[in-house]
Amino acid sequence: MSDSPTAPADARYSRVMLKISGEALMGDQGYGLHPPTVERIAREVKSVHDLGVEICMVIGGGNIFRGLQGSAQGMERTTADYMGMLATVMNALAMQSSLESIGVYTRVISAITMNEVAEPYIRRRAIRHLEKKRVCIFAAGTGNPYFTTDTAATLRASEMDCQAIFKGTKVDGVYDKDPKKHADAKRYESVTYDEVLAQHLGVMDASAIALARENSLPIIVFSLDEPGGFKGILAGRGTYTKVS
C-alpha cells in the first residue's frame, strides 16, 4: 500500500477523487461537450490542484451515450455498456486537453486498452503520477459491463488511497426529495451509507455506496455549478452533504 500524503495546510484532504457526470460537461446543450463548461470545471480542478492536493477524476459518459438507455432501446446490454465506456474516454480526453491548456499535467488512464490515446490502468504507475502532482483521469469505467462510473470512481478511489470522493452535482448536497421540484425539500448536513441505501437517496448506485462503506470512504456531495465550491469545501467552507 502507498502511504497517503499529508494534507496541505489549507486543505482538509491530500488526495481526493472528483466524480462528475458526463451531463455536467454539456452546459445548457442537450448533448455532447460545451467547451466553455469543460474549461470552467478544469479551472475549478486547477484551483484545488494549486493547493497541493492530489486529484483523481472519473467522468461519466451520459452526455454522449448511456448504456442503460441503449439497452432499453433493444441493444444488447453488454455492447451498450462498452459504448458508454468509450464515451467516458472522449470526455476524459476533452478534460485532459482543457487542464493541460491551463498548465495542469494530466494523464488519461483507460480500463480498456487503447494505447494511442490513453495509458492502460496500472495501479502503481497511477499512484506515481499522483505523487508527481499529475491529475489522473480514469476512463472506461471498471472495464466491465454492468458497472456504473459511480462504482468505477469508488473502486479507483479505494485503490489510489484517496481520502474522500467528491461527487459534483447540480444541487448543493443530498435532499430527501428533488429540490428542483419540491420547495419543501430538506437538505441533509450528513447522512450514513445505510440511510442512503435504505431511503434510496440517489447519491450513487447501491454497489458504489456499499463499496465506499466497506472501505470507510466518505462521499462529499456538492454543487459543481457553485464557483469556487470544490476549493471552498476542501478549505472547510461551503454547502455540502457528507455521506459517511
Side-chain angles (χ1 to χ4, degrees), residues 80-95:
D81 277 359
Y82 277 119
M83 290 172 69
M85 289 179 220
L86 297 178
T88 71
V89 177
M90 293 169 74
N91 284 339
L93 291 171
M95 182 57 68

PDB file of all heavy atoms in Angstrom, residues 80-95:
ATOM      1  N   ALA A  80     -23.964  -2.127 -25.323  1.00  0.00           N
ATOM      2  CA  ALA A  80     -24.350  -0.758 -24.957  1.00  0.00           C
ATOM      3  C   ALA A  80     -23.430  -0.205 -23.864  1.00  0.00           C
ATOM      4  O   ALA A  80     -23.000   0.951 -23.920  1.00  0.00           O
ATOM      5  CB  ALA A  80     -25.803  -0.734 -24.496  1.00  0.00           C
ATOM      6  N   ASP A  81     -23.105  -1.047 -22.884  1.00  0.00           N
ATOM      7  CA  ASP A  81     -22.225  -0.599 -21.801  1.00  0.00           C
ATOM      8  C   ASP A  81     -20.814  -0.290 -22.308  1.00  0.00           C
ATOM      9  O   ASP A  81     -20.190   0.680 -21.870  1.00  0.00           O
ATOM     10  CB  ASP A  81     -22.161  -1.656 -20.694  1.00  0.00           C
ATOM     11  CG  ASP A  81     -23.343  -1.549 -19.728  1.00  0.00           C
ATOM     12  OD1 ASP A  81     -24.177  -0.647 -19.911  1.00  0.00           O
ATOM     13  OD2 ASP A  81     -23.422  -2.372 -18.794  1.00  0.00           O
ATOM     14  N   TYR A  82     -20.309  -1.129 -23.230  1.00  0.00           N
ATOM     15  CA  TYR A  82     -18.977  -0.839 -23.786  1.00  0.00           C
ATOM     16  C   TYR A  82     -18.987   0.481 -24.559  1.00  0.00           C
ATOM     17  O   TYR A  82     -18.027   1.259 -24.500  1.00  0.00           O
ATOM     18  CB  TYR A  82     -18.494  -1.984 -24.682  1.00  0.00           C
ATOM     19  CG  TYR A  82     -17.863  -3.123 -23.900  1.00  0.00           C
ATOM     20  CD1 TYR A  82     -18.392  -4.407 -23.945  1.00  0.00           C
ATOM     21  CD2 TYR A  82     -16.739  -2.900 -23.104  1.00  0.00           C
ATOM     22  CE1 TYR A  82     -17.824  -5.450 -23.213  1.00  0.00           C
ATOM     23  CE2 TYR A  82     -16.163  -3.919 -22.363  1.00  0.00           C
ATOM     24  CZ  TYR A  82     -16.713  -5.200 -22.418  1.00  0.00           C
ATOM     25  OH  TYR A  82     -16.152  -6.211 -21.687  1.00  0.00           O
ATOM     26  N   MET A  83     -20.080   0.753 -25.277  1.00  0.00           N
ATOM     27  CA  MET A  83     -20.195   2.036 -25.982  1.00  0.00           C
ATOM     28  C   MET A  83     -20.188   3.198 -24.987  1.00  0.00           C
ATOM     29  O   MET A  83     -19.557   4.236 -25.220  1.00  0.00           O
ATOM     30  CB  MET A  83     -21.454   2.054 -26.842  1.00  0.00           C
ATOM     31  CG  MET A  83     -21.363   1.121 -28.038  1.00  0.00           C
ATOM     32  SD  MET A  83     -22.932   0.971 -28.935  1.00  0.00           S
ATOM     33  CE  MET A  83     -23.082   2.597 -29.667  1.00  0.00           C
ATOM     34  N   GLY A  84     -20.865   3.006 -23.856  1.00  0.00           N
ATOM     35  CA  GLY A  84     -20.852   4.023 -22.803  1.00  0.00           C
ATOM     36  C   GLY A  84     -19.447   4.258 -22.260  1.00  0.00           C
ATOM     37  O   GLY A  84     -19.050   5.394 -21.981  1.00  0.00           O
ATOM     38  N   MET A  85     -18.673   3.177 -22.127  1.00  0.00           N
ATOM     39  CA  MET A  85     -17.287   3.305 -21.654  1.00  0.00           C
ATOM     40  C   MET A  85     -16.451   4.134 -22.627  1.00  0.00           C
ATOM     41  O   MET A  85     -15.625   4.959 -22.221  1.00  0.00           O
ATOM     42  CB  MET A  85     -16.647   1.928 -21.479  1.00  0.00           C
ATOM     43  CG  MET A  85     -17.188   1.126 -20.312  1.00  0.00           C
ATOM     44  SD  MET A  85     -16.350  -0.481 -20.248  1.00  0.00           S
ATOM     45  CE  MET A  85     -17.709  -1.544 -19.826  1.00  0.00           C
ATOM     46  N   LEU A  86     -16.671   3.917 -23.925  1.00  0.00           N
ATOM     47  CA  LEU A  86     -15.929   4.692 -24.928  1.00  0.00           C
ATOM     48  C   LEU A  86     -16.293   6.176 -24.839  1.00  0.00           C
ATOM     49  O   LEU A  86     -15.431   7.042 -25.033  1.00  0.00           O
ATOM     50  CB  LEU A  86     -16.208   4.148 -26.328  1.00  0.00           C
ATOM     51  CG  LEU A  86     -15.744   2.707 -26.577  1.00  0.00           C
ATOM     52  CD1 LEU A  86     -16.115   2.262 -27.993  1.00  0.00           C
ATOM     53  CD2 LEU A  86     -14.245   2.546 -26.354  1.00  0.00           C
ATOM     54  N   ALA A  87     -17.553   6.463 -24.507  1.00  0.00           N
ATOM     55  CA  ALA A  87     -17.975   7.859 -24.332  1.00  0.00           C
ATOM     56  C   ALA A  87     -17.199   8.517 -23.189  1.00  0.00           C
ATOM     57  O   ALA A  87     -16.816   9.685 -23.275  1.00  0.00           O
ATOM     58  CB  ALA A  87     -19.484   7.924 -24.067  1.00  0.00           C
ATOM     59  N   THR A  88     -16.931   7.753 -22.117  1.00  0.00           N
ATOM     60  CA  THR A  88     -16.184   8.336 -20.985  1.00  0.00           C
ATOM     61  C   THR A  88     -14.749   8.665 -21.386  1.00  0.00           C
ATOM     62  O   THR A  88     -14.156   9.606 -20.860  1.00  0.00           O
ATOM     63  CB  THR A  88     -16.168   7.408 -19.746  1.00  0.00           C
ATOM     64  OG1 THR A  88     -15.325   6.271 -19.993  1.00  0.00           O
ATOM     65  CG2 THR A  88     -17.562   6.938 -19.365  1.00  0.00           C
ATOM     66  N   VAL A  89     -14.186   7.901 -22.329  1.00  0.00           N
ATOM     67  CA  VAL A  89     -12.823   8.183 -22.798  1.00  0.00           C
ATOM     68  C   VAL A  89     -12.809   9.512 -23.553  1.00  0.00           C
ATOM     69  O   VAL A  89     -11.900  10.341 -23.377  1.00  0.00           O
ATOM     70  CB  VAL A  89     -12.276   7.035 -23.678  1.00  0.00           C
ATOM     71  CG1 VAL A  89     -10.886   7.380 -24.210  1.00  0.00           C
ATOM     72  CG2 VAL A  89     -12.220   5.721 -22.891  1.00  0.00           C
ATOM     73  N   MET A  90     -13.822   9.741 -24.374  1.00  0.00           N
ATOM     74  CA  MET A  90     -13.915  11.014 -25.115  1.00  0.00           C
ATOM     75  C   MET A  90     -13.991  12.194 -24.141  1.00  0.00           C
ATOM     76  O   MET A  90     -13.301  13.207 -24.313  1.00  0.00           O
ATOM     77  CB  MET A  90     -15.135  10.986 -26.033  1.00  0.00           C
ATOM     78  CG  MET A  90     -15.007   9.973 -27.162  1.00  0.00           C
ATOM     79  SD  MET A  90     -16.548   9.701 -28.057  1.00  0.00           S
ATOM     80  CE  MET A  90     -16.672  11.193 -28.995  1.00  0.00           C
ATOM     81  N   ASN A  91     -14.812  12.048 -23.095  1.00  0.00           N
ATOM     82  CA  ASN A  91     -14.922  13.114 -22.091  1.00  0.00           C
ATOM     83  C   ASN A  91     -13.600  13.321 -21.353  1.00  0.00           C
ATOM     84  O   ASN A  91     -13.202  14.455 -21.074  1.00  0.00           O
ATOM     85  CB  ASN A  91     -16.022  12.779 -21.085  1.00  0.00           C
ATOM     86  CG  ASN A  91     -17.413  13.008 -21.657  1.00  0.00           C
ATOM     87  OD1 ASN A  91     -17.590  13.748 -22.610  1.00  0.00           O
ATOM     88  ND2 ASN A  91     -18.401  12.373 -21.061  1.00  0.00           N
ATOM     89  N   ALA A  92     -12.913  12.217 -21.038  1.00  0.00           N
ATOM     90  CA  ALA A  92     -11.638  12.312 -20.323  1.00  0.00           C
ATOM     91  C   ALA A  92     -10.598  13.047 -21.170  1.00  0.00           C
ATOM     92  O   ALA A  92      -9.834  13.874 -20.658  1.00  0.00           O
ATOM     93  CB  ALA A  92     -11.140  10.917 -19.958  1.00  0.00           C
ATOM     94  N   LEU A  93     -10.577  12.759 -22.475  1.00  0.00           N
ATOM     95  CA  LEU A  93      -9.616  13.429 -23.363  1.00  0.00           C
ATOM     96  C   LEU A  93      -9.921  14.921 -23.467  1.00  0.00           C
ATOM     97  O   LEU A  93      -9.005  15.750 -23.498  1.00  0.00           O
ATOM     98  CB  LEU A  93      -9.643  12.778 -24.751  1.00  0.00           C
ATOM     99  CG  LEU A  93      -9.072  11.352 -24.816  1.00  0.00           C
ATOM    100  CD1 LEU A  93      -9.353  10.732 -26.187  1.00  0.00           C
ATOM    101  CD2 LEU A  93      -7.578  11.321 -24.518  1.00  0.00           C
ATOM    102  N   ALA A  94     -11.212  15.266 -23.497  1.00  0.00           N
ATOM    103  CA  ALA A  94     -11.600  16.685 -23.548  1.00  0.00           C
ATOM    104  C   ALA A  94     -11.139  17.399 -22.277  1.00  0.00           C
ATOM    105  O   ALA A  94     -10.599  18.518 -22.329  1.00  0.00           O
ATOM    106  CB  ALA A  94     -13.114  16.811 -23.704  1.00  0.00           C
ATOM    107  N   MET A  95     -11.327  16.752 -21.125  1.00  0.00           N
ATOM    108  CA  MET A  95     -10.920  17.365 -19.854  1.00  0.00           C
ATOM    109  C   MET A  95      -9.396  17.459 -19.770  1.00  0.00           C
ATOM    110  O   MET A  95      -8.847  18.461 -19.310  1.00  0.00           O
ATOM    111  CB  MET A  95     -11.482  16.539 -18.689  1.00  0.00           C
ATOM    112  CG  MET A  95     -11.172  17.113 -17.314  1.00  0.00           C
ATOM    113  SD  MET A  95     -11.755  18.815 -17.067  1.00  0.00           S
ATOM    114  CE  MET A  95     -13.539  18.567 -17.089  1.00  0.00           C
TER     115      MET A  95
END
